[in-house]
Amino acid sequence: MAEKITCTVNGVKRTLELDGWEKLLDVLREKLDLTGTKRGCDDRTCGACTVVVDGEAVHSCTFPARKADGKTIITIEGLSRGKELHPIQRALIEAGAVQCGFCTPGIVMELYALYTRNPEAPEAEIMDALERHLCRCTGYEAIREGALLAQKYMRK
Ligand code: FES
Ligand code: FES
């Protein structure tokens, strides 16, 4: 029998029927059409699938969807307000850290979780968080600069 879960996704309460052992990434992309969250490696290596669950950045490619029951999930679609970008998105663009953009939603969500939890996170902690993300096109220096600029914007 299909299992049902209820969770809040980007501020909207959702009841979802799960087919077996789906991962959160499958549910977000295929059932809720939230395709901003990307599938890269499917094995916790690239970070492209990162979303925020109850304030923590998680790899949705391996996060069992059933574990999302009763939780609050934020995806990249939940950050911008209409056409207005979130300050973290703005900072990464301004620092030249976005080229193809495939890795960007995951990085944005990682930084969002970190700066929400600790707006004063030291650079070492920011770099640790960024280590969970692979980027094939941008130099990591631009991503580092974007992350530091994002922290400044988030403090304001
Ligand atoms: S798709 Fe989840 S870490 Fe790469
Ligand atoms: S901007 Fe292309 S993978 Fe990061």
Side-chain angles (χ1 to χ4, degrees):
M1 200 173 76
E3 183 180 357
K4 274 192 185 170
I5 62 164
T6 302
C7 53
T8 302
V9 183
N10 298 333
V12 179
K13 199 163 188 183
R14 305 278 197 165
T15 298
L16 299 160
E17 224 168 77
L18 302 183
D19 310 314
W21 293 92
E22 282 163 293
K23 302 299 185 232
L24 181 57
L25 179 60
D26 302 315
V27 171
L28 292 172
R29 289 183 57 87
E30 284 151 38
K31 294 198 163 149
L32 297 178
D33 214 18
L34 294 170
T35 54
T37 305
K38 304 300 183 207
R39 184 191 304 279
C41 61
D42 234 3
D43 67 5
R44 300 169 62 90
T45 304
C46 73
C49 65
T50 302
V51 299
V52 176
V53 178
D54 279 358
E56 292 293 325
V58 306
H59 290 120
S60 63
C61 67
T62 53
F63 191 93
R66 63 190 318 186
K67 268 182 67 184
D69 191 31
K71 300 206 183 299
T72 297
I73 298 155
I74 309 174
T75 70
I76 192 71
E77 289 88 349
L79 289 198
S80 50
R81 288 198 194 126
K83 288 191 179 165
E84 194 189 324
L85 293 176
H86 188 277
I88 297 174
Q89 293 173 303
R90 209 156 29 87
L92 289 172
I93 291 169
E94 286 171 17
V98 182
Q99 287 189 29
C100 80
F102 192 84
C103 66
T104 312
I107 293 173
V108 170
M109 299 317 294
E110 182 81 43
L111 294 174
Y112 178 80
L114 175 60
Y115 296 152
T116 303
R117 188 175 69 249
N118 183 9
E120 304 302 327
E123 188 168 337
E125 197 177 339
I126 298 169
M127 295 311 287
D128 278 353
L130 292 177
E131 270 186 16
R132 286 159 42 101
H133 297 268
L134 296 180
C135 175
R136 296 272 181 205
C137 6
T138 311
Y140 286 101
E141 185 54 28
I143 294 175
R144 178 185 152 273
E145 281 170 21
L148 294 174
L149 184 60
Q151 186 179 37
K152 268 194 210 154
Y153 288 170
M154 286 285 279
R155 282 194 193 122
K156 282 187 190 163

